[in-house]
């Protein structure tokens, strides 16, 4: 970075830091600049504790310590109306001049604009936090309550306030926890014998255990546990309100006793109440109303079709459109079994996941005479056919303008088993100048395709899988076929793919997906135009050919704008030893790498793979800022076909590879690990986010390299933001390819996110990572190959900052990334060499990068 630029940025920071933060603080008032909480002689930074004070210092930009919002607030004038009155209205000559120049109406608008701007500064800024000792006293009591709830029942809290002559103040809270109190005895008083027996049979699962420190949250958890236990053991009318605890702390400062009290059921009448013991309720009947729309229910229409299947009563106001098994498979409530809340929850969830019905409802009607329940399940089917359209206009570095459209038809309950059939079609046309074709038309890019997919709400398998993957995991089967044809300024290609996959949910936080078969066939239609697309490779070939005298300085390896056959002839001559180049020459290695890359990107691909995906997401809701996600992917391709080919004695082609329909199939192993962790800090949008990613694909058997569609790349708005997409790596190589890809990838990101003002958020980030060729992937360049742990010195690092605007439903993101450590530069010149705005990468994206 140039000295002038550094000085400029330092000047901005100095000006911000030197602004008078107490500008709006009145005499005898103090700006709160620091809260410290000392616990047993040590300052604590635990988030739950530091969030307790009722007054907090003004928000600062992380790492810079600048109260940015306070400075914005201080720019506003507290008495704008008085200022305008004194400077404008009280000066009649000035008013006359402005009216003559602007008119009365325009003058009023100008002054109102000043008022609005002043209000806007106050609104997006942050008023100074003025020390309030009453709130400090209340904070002291909140700290006492906090540590009391966590077992230090006799803790002590005090505070110290340090005021200075600059109208600022610092507060330190001093907490002495003293010795904690532990549970001595837990007595139970349970009025209903059946409730008592259920509790006693499951008391080992209690959150309250003798000898453990008092924790108020454990009483809340125990109350919830008992409620769930009873509600899932047939005690239909039970609720948390029936569970009480009485705590005795007077016996000793170090121990306490507790009593669990559960009374009988309370029955409320119009003007009186009565109590009687709880009872166990069983399911008497399960009624499923398949078309219980508001119209049918409100107008009192008569049932016209019904059946009984496996103990379930199925009713329909019109003709029954669903196979009974399709409905009963989604219902976990069974006749003759005791009532369980979990069955009701699972039924509602499963019915929602079918996407067949609008707001399915599950109601119970108690029969007091025989302690039974009648379960009524009301279903209101969605429309059988649903048609959707979309249209998009786009522009990119290879496309001047493009128009895309898609349409999809969803057919529900297509085979009367609650299956969903999706039929979709897509198309796009675009304009781009093809430098290799002088006769190109305006719309010279197009893509058309379609797909058909079937979702079955169960595992489609010849054997019963209930014991392995029970229906409580909401299993489903997905079958999909798709085909696309693409014509552009590049190689053009046709793609045909088919997927047969299973999906299930072992828990609310875990998702599993097994692709039993994933078949992809990619056919390149225009491989002879390779060097018309990858111009950098073509230019390098020309340079080498001229340097060795293969062609003169005015010639190129092309016969016509779209005929690059001389380039292929030159490659063959070099690799066959028909030129002056030898295998040890750098130019020979470059030609070899270009040839290998050309073969990889122009060959047709046949991929027959199986894969498994595991995802665990601990996020509770959209407001949760402290959570983690872990994704694991493992995939194998070609093993089955390789085994069959070997057993049947199939002949190999000239490249020693098995083929299917004259296309060599790919064989590889691939795995990916992706871990994201969010740390919620003080403040609603103050989040520290971390991501780590490892991807590895190893070719073997019938393949010497990884298919391009399975390769890894680095750079871009969701990766290392200091490099554009496909531009980073591999390793420390100085590639000039249009894009770079490899079979090993490592990526790390750390991002601090914070609110600036209003809906504008800021971010500071560091990204690190790279891609390499490794483990048999064909590549002759040692700079791009991962050989051992020493290759990690080639990890690229980028850093920068971003500005985001939160639209609630999505976030518009702009990030600026600077090359902090560039492994492609000479050793000793890699750190901060191009760390400036001129060499920065500017990214625009939707939502967060991870």
């Amino acid at each position: 970075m140039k000295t002038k630029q550094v000085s400029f940025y330092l000047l901005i920071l100095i000006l911000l830091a030197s602004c008078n933060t107490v500008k709006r603080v009145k005499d005898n008032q103090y700006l709160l600049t620091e809260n410290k909480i000392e616990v047993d002689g040590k300052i604590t930074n635990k988030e739950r504790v530091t969030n307790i004070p009722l007054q907090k210092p003004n928000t600062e930009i992380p790492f810079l310590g600048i109260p940015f919002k306070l400075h914005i607030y201080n720019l506003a004038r507290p008495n704008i109306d008085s200022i305008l009155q004194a400077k404008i209205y009280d000066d009649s000559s000035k008013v006359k001049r402005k009216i003559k120049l602007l008119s009365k109406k325009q003058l009023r608008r100008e002054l109102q604009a000043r008022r609005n701007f002043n209000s806007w500064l106050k609104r997006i800024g942050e008023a100074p936090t003025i020390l309030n000792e009453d709130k400090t006293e209340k904070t002291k009591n909140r700290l006492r309550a906090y540590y009391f709830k966590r077992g230090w029942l006799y803790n002590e809290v005090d505070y110290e306030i340090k005021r200075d002559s600059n109208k600022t103040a610092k507060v330190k809270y001093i907490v002495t926890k003293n010795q904690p109190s532990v549970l001595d005895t837990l007595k139970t008083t349970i009025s209903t014998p059946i409730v008592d027996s259920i509790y006693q049979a499951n008391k080992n699962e209690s959150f309250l255990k003798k000898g453990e420190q008092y924790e108020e949250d454990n009483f809340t958890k125990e109350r919830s546990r008992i409620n769930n236990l009873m509600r899932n053991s047939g005690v239909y009318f039970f609720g948390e309100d029936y569970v009480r605890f009485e705590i005795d702390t007077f016996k000793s400062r170090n121990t306490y006793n507790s009593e669990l009290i559960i009374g009988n059921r309370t029955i409320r009448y119009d003007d009186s109440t009565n109590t009687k013991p709880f009872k166990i309720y069983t399911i008497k009947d399960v009624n499923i109303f398949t078309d219980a729309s508001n119209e049918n229910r409100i107008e009192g229409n008569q049932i016209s079709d019904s059946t009984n299947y496996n103990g379930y009563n199925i009713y329909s106001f019109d003709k029954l459109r669903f196979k009974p098994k399709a409905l009963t498979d989604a219902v976990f409530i069974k006749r003759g079994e005791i009532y369980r809340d979990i069955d009701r929850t699972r039924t509602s969830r499963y019915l929602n996941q079918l996407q067949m019905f609008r707001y399915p409802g599950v109601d119970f009607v108690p029969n007091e005479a025989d302690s039974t329940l009648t379960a009524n399940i009301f279903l209101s089917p969605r429309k059988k056919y649903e048609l959707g359209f979309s249209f998009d206009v786009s522009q990119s570095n290879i496309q001047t303008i493009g128009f895309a459209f898609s349409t999809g038809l969803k057919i529900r309950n297509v085979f009367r088993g609650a299956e969903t059939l999706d039929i979709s079609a897509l198309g796009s046309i675009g304009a781009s100048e093809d430098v290799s074709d002088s006769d190109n038309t305006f719309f010279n890019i197009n893509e058309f395709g379609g797909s058909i997919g079937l979702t079955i709400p169960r595992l489609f398998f010849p054997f019963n899988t209930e014991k392995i993957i029970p229906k409580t995991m909401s299993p489903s089967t997905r079958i999909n076929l798709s085909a696309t044809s693409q014509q552009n300024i590049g190689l053009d290609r046709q793609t045909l793919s088919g997927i047969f996959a299973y999906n299930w949910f072992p828990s609310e936080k875990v998702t599993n997906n097994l692709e039993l078969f994933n078949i992809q066939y990619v056919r390149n239609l225009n491989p002879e135009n390779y060097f018309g697309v990858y111009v950098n490779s073509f230019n390098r070939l020309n340079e080498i050919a001229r340097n060795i005298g293969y062609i003169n300085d005015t010639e190129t390896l092309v016969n016509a704008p779209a005929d690059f056959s001389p380039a292929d002839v030159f490659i063959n001559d070099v690799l066959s030893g028909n030129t002056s180049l030898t295998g040890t020459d750098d130019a020979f290695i470059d030609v070899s790498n270009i040839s290998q890359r050309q073969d990889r990107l122009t060959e047709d691909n046949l991929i027959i793979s199986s894969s498994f995906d595991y995802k665990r997401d601990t996020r509770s809701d959209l407001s949760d800022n402290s959570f983690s996600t872990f994704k694991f992917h493992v995939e194998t391709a070609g093993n089955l076909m390789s085994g069959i080919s070997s057993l049947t004695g199939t002949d190999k082609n000239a490249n020693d590879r098995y083929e299917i329909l004259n296309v060599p199939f790919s064989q590889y192993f691939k795995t990916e690990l992706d871990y994201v962790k969010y740390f919620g800090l003080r403040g609603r949008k103050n989040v520290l986010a971390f991501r780590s990613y490892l991807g590895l694909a190893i070719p073997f058997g019938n393949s010497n390299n990884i298919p391009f569609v399975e390769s890894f790349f680095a750079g871009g708005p969701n990766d290392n933001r200091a490099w554009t997409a496909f531009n980073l790596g591999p390793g420390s190589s100085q590639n000039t390819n249009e894009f770079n890809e490899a079979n090993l990838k490592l990526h790390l990101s750390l991002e601090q996110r914070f609110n600036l003002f209003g809906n504008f958020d800021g971010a500071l980030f560091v990204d690190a990572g790279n891609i390499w060729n490794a483990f048999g992937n064909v590549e002759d360049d040692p700079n791009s190959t991962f050989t051992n742990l020493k290759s990690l010195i080639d990890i690229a690092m980028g850093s920068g900052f971003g500005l985001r605007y939160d639209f609630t439903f999505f976030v518009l993101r702009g990030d600026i990334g600077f090359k902090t450590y560039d492994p492609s530069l000479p050793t000793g010149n890699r750190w901060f060499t191009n760390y400036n705005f001129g060499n920065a990468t500017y990214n625009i994206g939707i939502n967060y990068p991870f």
Side-chain angles (χ1 to χ4, degrees), residues 361 441 519 589 687:
T441 57
I519 303 174
I589 295 174
V687 175

Side-chain angles (χ1 to χ4, degrees), residues 595-764:
S595 176
Q596 292 170 8
R597 184 177 176 84
Q598 180 187 13
D599 291 342
R600 286 188 62 199
L601 300 185
T602 58
E603 73 173 357
D604 296 339
N605 292 129
L606 177 61
I607 304 172
I608 305 174
S609 66
S610 299
S611 65
F612 174 75
D613 287 272
Y614 170 91
K615 179 182 177 181
R616 177 178 175 80
D617 189 346
T618 64
R619 191 168 195 172
S620 57
D621 53 55
L622 293 177
S623 63
D624 186 2
N625 283 333
S626 295
F627 67 94
S628 65
T629 61
F630 174 71
K631 300 177 184 178
F632 169 69
H633 172 82
V634 62
E635 177 182 349
T636 61
N639 293 344
L640 178 63
M641 302 313 302
S642 179
I644 294 174
S645 298
S646 178
L647 290 173
T648 57
T650 304
D651 294 331
K652 295 184 178 181
N653 63 15
N655 294 320
D656 197 33
R657 300 178 68 185
Y658 293 117
E659 294 182 344
I660 297 178
L661 300 178
N662 297 321
V663 180
F665 57 84
S666 299
Q667 190 171 6
Y668 61 85
F669 168 83
K670 182 178 183 180
T671 187
E672 296 173 82
L673 299 171
D674 193 353
Y675 177 73
V676 174
K677 174 65 178 176
Y678 277 36
F679 301 91
L681 306 178
R682 191 182 72 184
R684 184 173 63 89
K685 289 188 175 183
N686 192 3
V687 175
L688 182 65
F690 168 77
R691 184 194 181 197
S692 59
Y693 174 89
L694 173 66
L696 172 65
I698 304 175
F700 64 95
N702 209 49
S703 296
N704 294 322
N705 51 62
I706 296 299
F708 172 73
V709 293
E710 299 294 338
S711 299
F712 302 108
F713 70 92
N718 297 321
D719 198 80
N720 198 321
R721 285 161 279 185
W723 280 263
T724 56
F726 298 99
N727 195 38
L728 174 59
S732 60
S733 59
Q734 298 179 348
N735 279 325
T736 57
N737 295 320
E738 284 76 8
F739 59 82
N740 302 304
E741 38 77 37
N743 70 314
L744 172 64
K745 178 175 179 178
L746 179 66
H747 176 77
L748 301 166
S749 279
L750 186 67
E751 181 170 285
Q752 172 72 53
R753 301 167 187 166
F754 50 90
N755 179 251
L756 290 174
F757 51 84
N759 290 329
F760 283 96
D761 301 328
L764 302 172

Side-chain angles (χ1 to χ4, degrees), residues 188-192 195-196 199 226-227 230 238-239 241-245 259-265 278:
T188 59
T189 302
I190 303 176
S191 301
T192 301
V195 172
D196 184 56
Y199 172 82
I226 294 173
N227 179 62
M230 299 303 162
F238 198 87
D241 292 344
Y242 286 103
V243 183
R244 294 189 298 115
F245 291 99
E259 182 180 7
L260 166 64
I261 302 172
I262 302 177
N264 284 324
R265 175 189 170 196
F278 286 100

Side-chain angles (χ1 to χ4, degrees), residues 536-549:
N536 291 342
S537 295
F538 180 68
N539 291 338
R540 178 57 179 154
L541 288 179
N542 279 312
E543 180 185 359
I544 294 172
R546 290 173 183 143
N547 289 341
I548 65 174

